[in-house]
């Protein structure tokens, strides 16, 4: 049997440098855990635009559809700010999500003990935090038609359309309930049913799906209240399920609870493929951070934790995922810090590759 395949798309900015450290980890699993992957690499975002004039080449798109998992770094940068909307780096990412039909975006917000002081919230509010946001990723206002900037009388009007079918809501909700069954059995659904019809339908469908999961405690919140509750008392949540737009915003908010965006992974999952694995793409929540790109300062942990999610959700290797997560927790507890994790007490931060060295050493020590 051939090895499972991974397509690596490092992208722009700090994407390539953090991905280099992940590739070391992938190689480690091949060498030390008899868990080899067939890894190929390609371009996305601004890097693809520079080479091909488009943020995602059709061949790359086709390859992404064939592999067992895609691992993406980050896209975008100031060099591409003035490009036409249709070829902006972000369009490459959105095309991957849409054409792979990755409807369920899992964004964990977990607070590492060693970093609880970094949160902008008080330590006792975030210590031990472990929540999962499930963001619907392929529909809603980011994709709905009609959209565009149109002439209307003597001025222009910008239009986007929030649109959800019952089946789109249902599959996102189902993935949230399935996850909750493996966690603390609580789902909170967030929408704006008080002002949006799509929110009324969202609430109705989530409630209907919830009936199939009697063990899961389901609650509903308006998304604005949800944002408030996230910063007031985030530990009340286990799984939050919400639409594409609210999920985009609420997940950034939840991310910051944990202290650093440089720590947070994500998984975007679709329907099962013929081999039973879900279509899947894994990416850190942070962006391309052009201000520090190429300087070896970036924190590779979010990207590594994204690979841990791949081990868990694509390759059924939950124990090996936990091994990597534990190794990361250990180096943080031992005081290893990249520049984004430096506290007021100062010290010399580790470079991207030095953080990689520390994590590989902890992995070595784990076997
Ligand atoms: C995210 C990002 C993307 C989004 C951008 C880069 C298109 O903000 O993954 O949250 O809006 O979905
Ligand atoms: Mg976002």
């Amino acid at each position: 049997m051939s090895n499972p395949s991974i397509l690596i798309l490092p992208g722009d900015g700090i994407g390539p440098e953090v991905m280099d450290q992940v590739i070391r980890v992938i190689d480690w699993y091949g060498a030390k855990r008899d868990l080899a992957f067939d890894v190929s690499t390609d371009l996305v975002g601004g890097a693809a635009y520079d080479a091909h004039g488009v943020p995602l080449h059709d061949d790359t798109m086709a390859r992404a559809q064939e592999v067992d998992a895609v691992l993406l770094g980050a896209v975008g940068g100031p060099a591409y700010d003035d490009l036409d909307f249709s070829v902006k780096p972000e369009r490459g990412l959105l095309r991957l999500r849409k054409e792979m039909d990755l409807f369920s975006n899992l964004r964990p917000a977990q607070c590492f003990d060693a970093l609880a002081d970094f949160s902008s919230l008080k330590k006792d509010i975030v210590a031990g935090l472990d929540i999962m946001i499930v963001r619907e990723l392929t529909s809603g206002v980011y994709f709905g038609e009609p959209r565009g900037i149109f002439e209307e009388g003597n001025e222009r009007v910008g239009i986007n359309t929030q649109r959800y079918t019952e089946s789109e809501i249902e599959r996102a909700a189902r993935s949230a309930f399935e996850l909750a069954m493996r966690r603390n059995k609580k789902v909170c659904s967030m929408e704006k049913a008080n002002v949006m019809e799509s929110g009324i339908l969202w609430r109705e469908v989530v409630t209907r799906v919830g009936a199939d999961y009697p063990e899961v405690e389901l609650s509903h919140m308006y998304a604005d209240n949800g944002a408030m509750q996230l910063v007031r008392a985030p530990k009340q949540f286990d799984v939050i399920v919400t639409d594409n737009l609210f999920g985009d915003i609420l997940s950034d908010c939840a991310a910051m609870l944990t202290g650093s965006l440089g720590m947070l992974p994500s998984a975007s999952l679709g329907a099962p493929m013929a081999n039973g694995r879900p279509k899947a793409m894994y990416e850190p929540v942070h962006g391309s951070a052009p201000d520090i790109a190429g300087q070896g300062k970036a924190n590779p942990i979010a990207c590594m934790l994204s690979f841990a999610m791949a081990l868990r959700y694509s390759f059924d290797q939950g124990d090996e995922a936990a091994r990597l997560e534990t190794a990361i927790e250990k180096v943080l507890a031992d005081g290893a810090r990249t520049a984004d994790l430096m506290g007021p007490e100062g010290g010399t931060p580790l470079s991207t590759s030095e953080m990689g060295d520390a994590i590989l050493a902890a992995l070595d020590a784990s076997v």
Side-chain angles (χ1 to χ4, degrees):
M1 232 179 68
S2 59
N3 296 327
S5 53
I6 298 180
L7 173 63
I8 294 193
L9 302 173
D12 307 320
I14 61 170
E17 53 201 289
V18 296
M19 199 60 87
D20 281 346
Q21 302 309 311
V22 178
I23 291 169
R24 294 175 70 194
V25 170
I26 295 174
D27 290 344
W28 183 90
Y29 276 96
K32 302 287 173 67
R33 302 304 298 159
D34 203 17
L35 202 59
F37 296 93
D38 285 339
V39 176
S40 54
T41 304
D42 210 336
L43 304 172
V44 70
Y49 179 82
D50 290 340
H52 307 300
V54 285
L56 187 75
H57 195 279
D58 289 345
D59 292 347
T60 315
M61 187 63 243
R63 181 90 191 107
Q65 299 282 19
E66 284 160 11
V67 293
D68 292 314
V70 175
L71 213 54
L72 184 136
V75 296
Y80 310 104
D81 280 352
D82 296 331
L83 287 183
D84 187 73
F85 185 73
S86 64
V87 289
K88 276 197 188 303
E90 290 78 6
R91 303 311 301 171
L93 178 59
L94 292 176
R95 183 179 175 198
L96 282 161
R97 291 173 177 173
K98 186 67 179 176
E99 291 193 20
M100 292 172 75
D101 203 16
L102 305 173
F103 57 85
S104 176
N105 180 215
L106 277 41
R107 300 192 164 191
Q110 238 169 323
C111 186
F112 287 81
D113 282 348
L115 301 179
D117 281 325
F118 282 87
S119 176
S120 47
L121 298 191
K122 295 191 193 84
K123 188 170 179 170
D124 60 310
I125 291 182
V126 296
L129 180 73
D130 178 8
I131 62 184
M132 179 72 89
I133 296 190
V134 177
R135 167 188 176 193
E136 196 292 324
L137 200 61
T138 52
S139 185
V141 72
Y142 289 4
F143 293 98
E145 301 280 348
R147 65 183 297 165
I149 300 175
F150 304 98
E151 302 284 339
E152 197 176 280
N154 57 0
E155 62 175 355
R156 291 177 308 159
V157 50
I159 296 181
N160 291 92
T161 302
Q162 167 83 331
R163 179 180 193 278
Y164 270 107
T165 65
E166 289 186 280
S167 52
E168 286 168 342
I169 301 168
E170 172 158 355
R171 62 185 189 171
R174 206 164 282 288
S175 73
F177 282 104
E178 290 290 335
L179 261 172
M181 286 298 288
R182 288 188 265 147
R183 296 173 45 101
N184 294 322
K185 299 201 168 78
K186 273 168 48 174
V187 169
C188 181
S189 170
M190 297 187 185
E191 29 56 14
K192 285 285 287 178
N194 51 345
V195 285
M196 296 170 76
E197 284 78 2
S198 58
I200 295 174
L201 188 66
W202 182 279
R203 187 175 286 220
E204 217 180 280
V205 173
V206 172
T207 304
R208 192 169 73 212
V209 174
D212 293 342
Y213 300 86
E215 284 173 60
V216 177
E217 178 195 322
L218 171 64
S219 59
H220 303 273
M221 250 180 217
Y222 298 139
D224 52 348
N225 180 31
M228 195 256 278
Q229 295 299 332
L230 264 176
V231 292
R232 191 187 72 85
K235 285 189 247 177
Q236 68 184 287
F237 299 113
D238 176 25
V239 174
I240 293 171
V241 62
T242 189
D243 75 10
N244 201 345
L245 170 64
F246 295 139
D248 190 10
I249 297 166
L250 293 170
S251 64
D252 264 28
C253 175
M256 210 49 222
L257 299 173
T258 70
S260 170
L261 221 46
M263 301 293 300
L264 292 174
S266 77
S268 303
L269 307 176
M273 300 185 281
N275 62 12
R277 295 190 172 112
K279 275 266 166 74
M281 178 160 75
Y282 300 87
E283 50 178 315
V285 169
H286 63 67
S288 59
D291 51 319
I292 59 162
Q295 300 173 29
K297 286 185 185 167
N299 182 351
I301 291 180
C303 205
M304 288 194 186
L305 289 172
S306 300
F307 176 63
M309 289 187 91
L311 288 171
R312 180 169 290 120
Y313 294 109
S314 282
F315 303 120
D316 211 14
Q317 295 283 347
D319 290 349
E320 295 300 334
R323 178 191 302 283
L324 178 52
E325 289 158 352
T326 306
I328 289 169
E329 241 167 81
K330 171 151 192 325
V331 304
L332 291 172
D334 290 348
R337 299 280 186 271
T338 40
D340 56 310
L341 304 177
M342 297 303 292
E345 69 278 7
T348 312
L350 296 183
S351 69
T352 309
S353 63
E354 286 167 342
M355 183 57 102
D357 295 343
I359 291 166
L360 283 167
L363 280 172
D364 276 336
S366 77
V367 296

